Amino acid sequence: MTARPEDPAPNPHATEAEVQAAYSDNKLAQVLYHDWEAETYDDKWSISYDERCIEYARGRFDAVVPDAQLPYDRALELGCGTGFFLLNLMQGGVAKSGSVTDLSPGMVKVATRNGKNLGLDVDGRVADAETIPYEDDTFDLVVGHAVLHHIPDVELALKECLRVLKPGGRFVFAGEPTTIGNIYARRLGQVTWKITTEITKLPFLADWRKTQEELDESSRAAALEAVVDLHTFDPSDLEGIARSAGAIQVKAKTEEFAAALWGWPVRTFEAAVPDSKLTMRYRLAQYKAWLGLSKLDEKVLRHVVPRKFFYNVMITGVKPAASGK
Ligand SMILES: C[S@@+](CC[C@H](N)C(=O)[O-])C[C@H]1O[C@@H](n2cnc3c(N)ncnc32)[C@H](O)[C@@H]1O
């Protein structure tokens, strides 16, 4: 249940030279950025392994595969990060055993530790989604969350998924940014950051201002983030990529319109002010607002707003039974 000793060690404190090299080596950038984030990632994104996130992960899965025969026997997660998606799906009854994999050794270390703490049947391995280090026909399910947009050749990664899936096996990727959603999310984020960091220069708001060192660190992170975020997706184009890779029963679904228009400024504001200012009551109120707006998206806006305007896209597909290679 631990990360494999033969895998490379995490490198959470990259040197300036390594950071510079990462600007011209995307895979190195992915490893450095995510190794650096690994130990604080769950806190940063409010990731937990309780009812709240189990329900969220299961909800994403059910949204694209409402009629699955559960549980799957053996699942693989690509770009697992700290294990948010697969560990919560396993707790939600989607799979019995799992392998959490990521390009970043630091993330694999945290994900396997999280799996162990939860008492799940999970192993971990450093793996590039473009060259998955498992035999053909190994898994019943392959999942990923917020990973496809980091992979240079998405079609190659989906071909690899189909190769390691057993015939009839399924992949589910969720949490990918749509092209239009990404435009408004980034703009809203930039405007909120500017307003918050300017307003908190006022002397009577000084205790709402992060130290200059923290703000500089956030700006450096944002610069590297721009390097590791490679793609955004139009849902129909993503379906086309999955079909070209060889998948059948391909379906993309989008979510979060009102919830994203609200959520991105809120998230950016939270990143720009000291943590101590964000009370539990405030966080709970924000979470409730986000839940309410997500419901509005699902019940009403989904029927009137074209799917490409929503922020998140998920995609599923199946490996053909006869020949998937
Ligand atoms: C935005 S994080 C998402 C983590 C996690 N799935 C989640 O939703 O919390 C993207 C993850 O993909 C990983 N990644 C980036 N490129 C990859 C690749 N080519 N193969 C496998 N993982 C990759 C990163 O190291 C990072 O942990």
Side-chain angles (χ1 to χ4, degrees), residues 30 34 41 79-81 84 102-104 107 127-129 145-147 150:
Q30 302 287 349
H34 292 106
Y41 194 79
C80 63
F84 155 71
D102 198 289
L103 197 57
S104 146
M107 289 294 195
D128 184 344
H145 185 269
V147 58
H150 292 292

Side-chain angles (χ1 to χ4, degrees), residues 136-278:
D136 298 3
D137 305 339
T138 301
F139 296 98
D140 304 284
L141 175 70
V142 176
V143 298
H145 185 269
V147 58
L148 290 182
H149 68 281
H150 292 292
I151 300 173
D153 189 337
V154 175
E155 184 174 331
L156 177 60
L158 292 180
K159 276 187 184 149
E160 278 289 276
C161 290
L162 293 171
R163 180 183 65 74
V164 299
L165 276 170
K166 294 176 188 166
R170 177 181 288 282
F171 63 76
V172 173
F173 289 91
E176 301 298 338
T178 61
T179 301
I180 293 178
N182 189 56
I183 293 171
Y184 62 70
R186 281 199 187 272
R187 290 269 154 81
L188 287 168
Q190 282 159 357
V191 171
T192 311
W193 182 264
K194 181 106 191 111
I195 292 173
T196 312
T197 51
E198 285 302 319
I199 283 189
T200 51
K201 281 181 184 161
L202 294 170
F204 65 95
L205 289 176
D207 58 342
W208 280 85
R209 188 167 175 81
K210 276 188 164 173
T211 63
Q212 195 54 44
E213 204 178 36
E214 287 168 324
L215 291 172
D216 289 347
E217 168 111 344
S218 297
S219 301
R220 266 199 305 277
L224 205 52
E225 198 172 17
V227 177
V228 298
D229 287 347
L230 294 178
H231 310 284
T232 57
F233 301 100
D234 174 89
S236 303
D237 292 348
L238 187 55
E239 285 172 338
I241 294 171
R243 287 197 191 95
S244 297
I248 57 171
Q249 298 174 40
V250 170
K251 188 169 82 177
K253 190 174 177 221
T254 59
E255 293 183 318
E256 289 195 32
F257 181 59
L261 290 172
W262 171 260
W264 278 98
V266 167
R267 246 168 264 168
T268 311
F269 166 77
E270 289 171 356
V273 301
D275 245 16
S276 56
K277 289 289 173 194
L278 308 172

Side-chain angles (χ1 to χ4, degrees), residues 72-90:
Y72 289 88
D73 277 336
R74 190 164 179 206
L76 167 71
E77 178 164 24
L78 298 174
C80 63
T82 53
F84 155 71
F85 201 39
L86 183 56
L87 300 183
N88 280 316
L89 286 177
M90 287 177 71

